[in-house]
């Protein structure tokens, strides 16, 4: 992981429709965009504009600029809420990372860590299928840095109040084609 | 002049009033002398009829004679017309001054004046009760004066020269060559008699021979050669102004002479139907042409052309009378003639068949394999009649869909035993195939005599056309019926029913039931007495026609619609495991189908509603589908609760799509976000309300795309729901005007939602609500689906 102290951040106003998802974190975007079939869930469209503005303050969108375009790497869920509830040409505050201070690989790691931490640190129950996908996307290398205890599937599932079997293997029975949940 | 003043005091004031004499009298010597003669004629007529003036005639005659004797010497010759200025206000008095140039016609003119004075007196009494005859009076007295001229001596010669009753005199007038003056004179006398009816139709100058057809092209486009829609209309009215005036003077309406076939003529070129144009341009051009055809048909059928219940009673009684007479008559030829007449009239009146088709009727002993003629009689037990039904003329390729097996003829039994008349004739004619084997002229003469007699006796205005129109109109306006049912039962065409017929398919049992109810209603209102004694008015044997379908070829059943609902709702369930895009697409198709079946939306594009087109509280919504630029055919519909829930569920699901698209589908996000957040207040839409998502694109849900999702258990075109709705709503007893308002079927003059229309929105909803809910929700199982519930 990059040295956090080396990352410089500047807050810039962008039109919400001009903030994009970089292709490198598409898998994470898929995870966020797919509505979980069960479990308690607050839809972004259920939020008020005030709530979205609050989110933009407390869980900001972190982006970088490349070729004149703004790419979001952290706060994807906040971006989704902003895009769903605000008008396309509304301005939103975006924390801009200086692209030169961080490598592409580090950007991806940052995005993955953000999603993981926000998911696990939230007080709401999580969907086991989403957890399994997240575990496979993030991988053990990242987990080693941010939550070493979660490197093993058993501990990962246990902390989410599920059995290892429920999180990683029952889905395989239902949908054998999904390779993302293959046991490590 | 002082002498005149003195003299007129000797005449009774009642007489002066009777002849409407001026004050002072002018040309009294000549006129009063003539009046004495005319009063003697009035006295003779009075002896035949009990006239109002009868008691005073002796006094008046004596006074006139005494006056004339004294005054004779004072008569003068004037260079100018001495009665100038008196024509308007003293018409009877002035008429007495005019005498025919030929002395031998004087008696006839006296009789004419006698009749006229009696009629005038009667009309004056009626005027005291509030009626007005000024123009008729003026025309009649003008006739009485002008007939004295040499030019009209032949007409005067044809008039009766002896005293006769007013009715007899009237029949003489009817026999004269029909000129406007004679006709107006006859009308005035008829007014006086209280008949106030027109004389018989002019047969010498039949309107069919009139050069009525003057087609005009409806296209104003320069490139007529490539015009995809070649529409022509017949210029209205069909008569020239002189003829119209003549008809109106005779007490009839010019509309009565209008034949339905002369209303309009529309044809579509089959060569290059699109002519290289887009479908939108083609539709606009077709709409424009149709609008002009509709404008040329502004003259909808008037109530004048429909028989009154009195007239229907007269014709029904006339048929029954002819039939009874034929049975009682000892003269074989006369008996046969009467039976033939009764049989022909039965077909014309009770089956609403025009004369030229009725005389081609054929008879069978048993049900024929393939009936071909317009009218075929079957001598079975009970007897019945096969009528060639109306059929919509399809231009599209409907054969690729599941089509009903439509029967060419409908089997009808009136239920009031009138088939016995035809059966009797058929048997007496040796069960020959052709029921009427004489010449056309023979039957025309036979009918005209009958109609003329009936009109004379009962003061009707029966004509062949009106007789053959009665049952058609009665069926069209009967409770639980519709103009399309009338077309199917009688096989007649109607401009107003031509379009709805494409959406109406019903069975023979229903049609026969409606027909029987109508016949019974006519028979009841007409107090028909088919026969006294043992004969019964109702048919003794119950008639069960074979179960066949008639009308439109496409009509899904409830189970087929239910299978569509099951299939489309199953697609939503399946899509839940596939992803939000698939769920959205399945929801769009299901919602579109639900809206179509709940509102009768035409399958021409996006079946959704804009926010300002729907009221979620009351369920009322406005549809403007396949409409012209002026939105003439926009209509109010009521949407059931379940469908509103489905629309809301679809709209809620759009937000889920927006959430997904915000991260995954930039193009869909942009379009959808603009629609949901940006331009929602604008009338114009940036995207269709109901759409499919393919890749990162929004694709409109076109009728062909919609149709491609139908299961094999529902092999129908995209607009089949309209066939389903109209046919079922009518069969469920929906009033035809409400059903037409719901379907958007109306022509000029029938608009249900125009400023002066009387259909109330609440009544409309109260009628349509239970029927629609029962049909769509209970029978077909349509319900609201929330995929994320």
């Amino acid at each position: 992981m990059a040295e956090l102290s080396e990352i410089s951040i500047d807050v810039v106003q962008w039109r919400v429709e001009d903030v994009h998802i970089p292709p490198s974190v598409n898998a994470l975007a898929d995870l966020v965009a797919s509505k979980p079939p069960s479990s308690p869930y607050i839809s972004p469209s259920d939020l008020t504009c005030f709530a979205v503005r609050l989110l933009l303050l407390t869980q900001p969108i972190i982006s970088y600029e490349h070729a004149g375009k703004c790419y979001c790497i952290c706060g994807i869920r906040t971006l989704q809420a902003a895009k769903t509830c605000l008008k396309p040409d509304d301005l939103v505050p975006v924390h801009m990372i200086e692209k030169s201070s961080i490598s592409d690989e580090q950007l991806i790691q940052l995005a993955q860590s953000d999603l993981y931490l926000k998911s696990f640190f939230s007080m709401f129950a999580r969907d086991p299928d989403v957890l399994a996908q997240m575990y496979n996307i993030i991988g053990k290398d990242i987990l080693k840095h941010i939550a070493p205890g979660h490197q093993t599937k058993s501990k990962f599932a246990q902390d989410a109040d599920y059995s290892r079997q429920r999180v990683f293997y029952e889905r395989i029975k239902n949908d054998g084609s999904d390779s993302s949940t293959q046991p490590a | 002049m002082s002498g005149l003043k003195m003299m007129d005091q000797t005449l009774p004031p009642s007489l002066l009033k009777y002849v409407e004499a001026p004050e002072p009298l002018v040309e009294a010597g000549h006129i009063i002398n003539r009046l004495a003669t005319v009063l003697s004629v009035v006295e003779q007529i009075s002896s035949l009829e009990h006239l109002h003036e009868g008691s005073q005639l002796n006094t008046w005659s004596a006074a006139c004679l005494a006056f004339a004797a004294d005054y004779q010497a004072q008569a003068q010759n004037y260079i100018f017309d001495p009665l100038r200025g008196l024509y308007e206000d003293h018409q009877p008095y002035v008429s007495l001054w005019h005498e025919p140039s030929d002395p031998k016609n004087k008696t006839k003119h006296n009789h004419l004046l006698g009749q006229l004075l009696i009629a005038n007196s009667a009309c004056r009494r009626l005027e005291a009760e509030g009626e007005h005859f000024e123009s008729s009076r003026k025309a009649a007295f003008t006739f009485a004066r002008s007939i004295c001229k040499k030019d009209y001596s032949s007409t005067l010669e044809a008039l009766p020269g002896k005293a006769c009753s007013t009715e007899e005199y009237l029949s003489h007038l009817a026999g004269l060559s029909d000129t406007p003056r004679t006709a107006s004179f006859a009308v005035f006398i008829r007014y006086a008699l209280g008949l106030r009816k027109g004389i018989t139709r002019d047969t010498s100058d039949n309107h069919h021979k009139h050069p009525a057809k003057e087609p005009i092209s409806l296209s104003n486009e320069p490139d007529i050669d490539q015009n995809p829609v070649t529409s022509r209309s017949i210029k209205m009215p069909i008569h020239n102004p002189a003829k119209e005036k003549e008809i109106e003077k005779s007490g009839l309406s010019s509309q009565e002479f209008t034949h339905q076939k002369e209303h309009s003529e529309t044809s579509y070129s089959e060569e290059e139907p699109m002519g290289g144009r887009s479908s939108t341009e083609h539709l606009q051009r077709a709409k424009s042409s149709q609008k002009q055809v509709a404008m040329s048909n502004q003259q909808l059928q008037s109530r004048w052309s429909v028989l009154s219940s009195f007239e229907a009673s007269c014709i029904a009684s006339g048929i029954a009378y002819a039939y009874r007479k034929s049975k009682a008559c000892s003269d074989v030829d006369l008996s046969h003639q009467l039976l033939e007449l009764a049989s022909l009239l039965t077909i014309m009146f009770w089956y609403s068949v025009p004369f030229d088709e009725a005389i081609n009727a054929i008879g069978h002993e048993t049900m024929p394999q393939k009936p071909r003629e317009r009218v075929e009689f079957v001598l079975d037990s009970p007897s019945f009649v096969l009528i060639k039904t109306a059929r919509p003329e399809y231009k599209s390729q409907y054969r690729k869909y599941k089509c009903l097996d439509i029967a060419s003829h409908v089997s009808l039994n009136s239920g009031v035993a009138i088939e016995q008349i035809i059966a009797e004739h058929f048997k007496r004619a040796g069960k020959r195939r052709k029921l009427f084997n004489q010449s056309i002229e023979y039957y025309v003469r036979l009918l005209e005599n009958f109609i003329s007699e009936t009109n004379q006796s009962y003061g009707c205005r029966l004509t062949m056309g009106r007789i053959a129109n009665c049952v058609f109109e009665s069926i069209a306006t009967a409770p639980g019926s519709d103009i399309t049912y009338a077309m199917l039962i009688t096989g007649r065409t109607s401009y107003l029913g031509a379009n709805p017929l494409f959406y109406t398919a019903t069975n023979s049992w229903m049609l026969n039931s409606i027909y029987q109810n109508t016949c019974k209603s006519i028979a009841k209102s007409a107090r028909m007495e088919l026969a006294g004694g043992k004969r019964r008015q109702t048919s003794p044997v119950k008639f069960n026609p074979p179960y066949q379908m008639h009308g439109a070829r496409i009509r899904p059943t409830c189970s087929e619609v239910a299978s569509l609902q099951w299939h489309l709702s199953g697609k939503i369930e399946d899509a839940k495991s596939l992803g939000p895009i698939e769920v959205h697409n399945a929801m769009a198709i299901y919602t579109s189908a639900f809206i179509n079946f709940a509102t009768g939306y035409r399958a021409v594009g996006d079946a959704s509603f804009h926010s300002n087109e729907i009221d979620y509280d009351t369920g009322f919504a406005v549809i403007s589908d396949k409409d012209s630029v002026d939105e003439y055919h926009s209509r109010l519909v009521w949407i059931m609760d379940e469908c509103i829930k489905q629309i809301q569920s679809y709209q809620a699901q759009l937000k889920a799509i927006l959430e997904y698209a915000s991260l995954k589908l930039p193009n869909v996000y942009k379009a959808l976000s603009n629609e949901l957040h940006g331009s929602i207040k604008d009338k114009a839409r940036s995207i269709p309300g109901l759409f499919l998502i393919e890749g990162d694109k929004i694709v409109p849900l076109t009728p062909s795309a919609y149709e491609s999702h139908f299961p094999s258990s529902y092999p129908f075109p995209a607009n089949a729901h309209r066939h389903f709705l109209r046919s079922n709503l009518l069969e469920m007893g929906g009033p035809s005007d409400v059903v037409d308002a719901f379907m958007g079927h109306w022509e000029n003059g029938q608009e249900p939602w125009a400023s002066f229309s009387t259909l109330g929105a609440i009544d409309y909803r109260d009628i349509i609500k239970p029927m629609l809910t029962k049909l769509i929700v209970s029978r077909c199982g349509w319900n609201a689906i929330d995929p994320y519930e």
Side-chain angles (χ1 to χ4, degrees), chain A residues 16-17 21 26 30 32-33 41 43-45 76 80 83-88, chain B residues 580 652 655-656 658-664 666 669-670 673-674 677-678 788:
Chain A
V16 69
E17 66 175 341
I21 301 292
N26 252 346
D30 280 343
V32 176
Y41 176 80
S43 170
S45 55
I76 295 174
Q80 186 191 26
K83 282 198 165 189
T84 304
C85 299
L86 302 181
K87 290 182 181 177
Chain B
K655 291 178 183 170
L658 182 65
E659 287 171 18
Y660 181 82
S662 65
L663 301 178
K664 295 299 298 172
Y669 160 72
K670 199 166 183 178
S673 182
N674 273 326
H677 295 130
Y788 298 116

Side-chain angles (χ1 to χ4, degrees), chain B residues 250-542:
Chain B
S250 66
L252 298 172
S253 162
S254 60
Q255 292 177 24
E256 195 186 358
F257 286 74
T258 306
H259 193 272
Q260 281 188 339
K261 286 178 183 171
E262 290 165 348
H263 271 198
S264 69
E265 191 176 81
T266 314
S267 60
Y268 294 85
S269 170
E270 291 186 359
E271 294 173 7
E272 289 189 80
M274 301 296 275
R277 294 174 181 82
S278 70
S279 57
T280 310
E281 286 172 335
H282 175 75
L283 188 64
Q284 283 173 353
R285 290 168 70 89
K287 272 278 167 194
S288 169
S289 299
Q290 282 171 4
K291 196 169 181 178
Q292 289 183 61
V293 171
M295 290 302 288
S296 72
N297 280 292
Q298 284 278 1
Q299 197 175 20
L300 299 176
Q301 198 163 33
S302 71
R303 304 310 301 165
W304 186 274
S305 60
V306 181
L307 291 191
S308 65
S309 59
F310 171 70
E311 287 171 315
S313 172
C314 287
I315 182 71
S317 304
I319 294 170
Y321 177 76
Y323 175 64
R324 285 205 303 271
K325 199 83 176 165
S326 75
K327 298 200 89 177
C329 184
S330 55
D331 184 340
V332 178
D333 288 343
L334 181 61
S335 170
H336 180 70
Q337 195 180 53
L338 284 169
L339 188 58
E340 199 168 27
L341 173 69
S343 183
L344 181 59
L345 278 169
T346 300
I347 292 173
M348 284 176 64
F349 176 71
W350 287 102
Y351 291 96
S352 215
V353 180
F355 168 75
D356 53 342
E357 291 173 322
I359 55 168
N360 292 324
I362 60 173
H364 304 276
E365 284 191 69
T366 54
M367 179 79 170
Q369 288 289 329
K370 284 184 181 175
R372 283 193 173 80
E373 290 295 329
R374 173 82 161 74
V375 185
E376 301 201 7
F377 172 75
V378 182
L379 182 70
D380 210 334
S381 182
S383 304
F384 61 94
V385 173
L386 293 165
I387 299 284
K388 198 172 197 173
T389 61
R391 284 180 171 196
E393 290 179 19
Y394 289 96
K395 292 183 178 71
S396 57
Q397 291 294 319
Y398 65 90
R399 286 189 181 83
K400 65 180 178 181
Y401 305 109
K402 182 185 174 186
C403 294
L404 293 171
D405 187 15
I406 296 294
S408 65
H409 285 66
V410 60
S411 311
L412 297 174
N413 178 284
S414 66
V416 291
I418 47 103
E419 289 78 12
Q420 293 176 37
I421 298 172
I422 311 171
E424 188 82 17
H425 170 60
F426 183 55
K427 283 184 210 164
R428 205 184 284 186
K431 297 180 182 174
R432 65 163 184 259
R433 182 177 159 79
K434 201 162 165 51
L435 287 176
F436 308 104
N437 62 347
Q438 304 274 14
S439 67
I440 293 175
E441 290 74 22
Y442 168 81
Y443 291 112
V444 169
R445 204 163 49 247
L446 201 63
L447 278 176
E448 280 184 347
N449 287 340
F450 170 83
I451 291 169
S452 174
E453 285 280 325
T454 311
N455 286 344
Q456 294 273 343
S457 306
Y458 300 104
C460 301
R461 303 185 312 272
L462 296 175
T463 62
M464 287 193 218
R466 296 181 75 220
I467 289 171
N469 211 29
C470 178
V471 169
F472 176 83
E473 285 295 323
S474 300
I475 295 170
T477 53
S481 186
D482 176 54
I483 193 162
T484 52
Y485 284 176
M487 290 167 73
L488 292 173
I489 290 170
T490 63
R492 300 183 67 152
T493 56
S494 167
Y495 176 74
L496 299 179
N499 194 32
L501 190 63
F502 281 91
Y503 302 95
T504 314
T506 194
N507 61 64
S508 50
W509 293 357
M510 179 89 185
L511 293 179
N512 191 64
S513 166
I514 288 171
Y515 177 66
Q516 287 199 345
N517 289 341
T518 308
C519 288
K520 283 172 187 169
S521 167
I522 293 173
K524 191 178 173 188
S525 65
R527 299 181 187 283
M528 191 180 72
E529 295 174 5
L530 258 184
K534 295 173 185 173
R535 284 175 55 79
R536 296 194 296 185
Q537 286 193 13
T538 51
S539 183
V541 185
K542 190 169 167 56

